[in-house]
Amino acid sequence: MPAPYFIFEGCDGTGKTTTMHAVADRLRQKMPQFDPVLTHHPGSTPLGRYLRQLVKYPTKTDPEMTIDDLSRQVLYMVDTISYVRTVLEPNLAAGRAVMADRSSFISAIVYGLADGLDMRDVTRILELITPPKADRLYILQCPTDLGRERIKSTRGELDHYDQKSLEFAEKVSKIYAGLITTSAQQTVLVSRSVSIDNVMYVDASRPLDQVVDFIVADATSVIEDRYS
């Protein structure tokens, strides 16, 4: 039986990376035998690290470079295919749990639609590969202005999406909020990577300890059930 697989998603500034690492640390303390692989998208493979630089900071590669919205999502999916085949599937098959800071199978829906792609384009991109299903998709949520304040205070250099307008950030937040309720087609796309019953929304505006407590309690039940 494959090991547990958890995805942490949400708007930029909701604390996905910090929360994921804190949850992993707490789970290791509770269950010393639990030693998950922590990943992030894009960038968890050698190919992904190159693509991360390209899509987030294109002008560093070439000052004249621009990447259109469809090409950007396709490049993210190239990273994801490499990740699924060389990191995710081998570790799960070997019995090692995986925690992912973003999944392109979710982010492509949200950011693709926010960028103006239609559902047909997003669907075609996501059909390139079938991923292992996650045991949980934790969607972290906080007010848009709080998320932007966190970004400004914690990131030295703003990437492509960090520099988008407040209106864009609010659009992204709205899509996350309606990820599994907006349309049947969108729900079907989400269900390719996680069962809808395993999508959990988390109030990330609360103190970090409370957010971590909530997720650890839920993740513990998943892990204990898997290995019982």
Side-chain angles (χ1 to χ4, degrees):
M1 180 181 295
Y5 169 34
F6 304 95
I7 298 170
F8 292 73
E9 269 287 353
C11 300
D12 291 318
T14 53
K16 296 177 300 301
T17 304
T18 300
T19 300
M20 183 183 76
H21 283 268
V23 167
D25 288 344
R26 186 83 64 81
L27 288 170
R28 290 190 189 101
Q29 293 170 11
K30 290 185 64 174
M31 297 174 283
Q33 75 280 11
F34 182 72
D35 185 25
V37 176
L38 305 184
T39 68
H40 61 278
H41 295 279
S44 289
T45 67
L47 175 60
R49 285 191 286 275
Y50 177 81
L51 291 171
R52 182 182 183 87
Q53 183 75 5
L54 182 63
V55 297
K56 286 182 170 289
Y57 310 101
T59 55
K60 283 189 172 183
T61 301
D62 185 331
E64 297 182 2
M65 180 179 293
T66 59
I67 302 176
D68 64 87
D69 298 324
L70 178 58
S71 295
R72 179 172 289 102
Q73 296 306 324
V74 171
L75 288 169
Y76 279 132
M77 188 51 61
V78 170
D79 162 72
T80 297
I81 292 170
S82 174
Y83 165 77
V84 168
R85 291 182 172 172
T86 65
V87 177
L88 182 58
E89 289 179 337
N91 277 289
L92 294 179
R96 191 168 185 190
V98 175
M99 291 185 166
D101 178 352
R102 288 204 183 281
S103 165
S104 290
F105 295 98
I106 304 302
S107 293
I109 298 173
V110 176
Y111 285 87
L113 295 177
D115 273 332
L117 302 186
D118 61 33
M119 187 61 74
R120 180 175 53 187
D121 287 332
V122 173
T123 300
R124 287 173 176 169
I125 294 170
L126 296 183
E127 286 176 344
L128 288 171
I129 189 171
T130 300
K133 278 203 170 185
D135 292 274
R136 287 289 190 273
L137 166 60
Y138 298 113
I139 300 179
L140 277 61
Q141 295 179 297
C142 73
T144 304
D145 55 352
L146 174 59
R148 290 174 73 86
E149 288 175 10
R150 289 173 171 174
I151 290 170
K152 291 178 181 178
S153 64
T154 59
R155 298 188 187 177
E157 183 177 12
L158 301 183
D159 66 25
H160 170 78
Y161 283 118
D162 294 337
Q163 298 178 55
K164 290 277 193 175
S165 66
L166 177 60
E167 181 182 11
F168 180 84
E170 290 173 343
K171 184 187 297 185
V172 168
S173 180
K174 184 177 179 179
I175 296 172
Y176 271 119
L179 189 64
I180 57 176
T181 58
T182 297
S183 70
Q185 188 175 7
Q186 192 165 295
T187 302
V188 168
L189 281 183
V190 173
S191 67
R192 292 185 71 245
S193 56
V194 60
S195 298
I196 299 304
D197 290 344
N198 290 329
V199 178
M200 302 188 69
Y201 284 88
V202 181
D203 180 3
S205 65
R206 296 179 296 169
L208 178 61
D209 283 349
Q210 293 182 22
V211 175
V212 173
D213 286 345
F214 175 82
I215 296 177
V216 165
D218 179 72
T220 298
S221 67
V222 173
I223 295 164
E224 290 178 344
D225 181 64
R226 180 60 53 86
Y227 293 119
S228 63

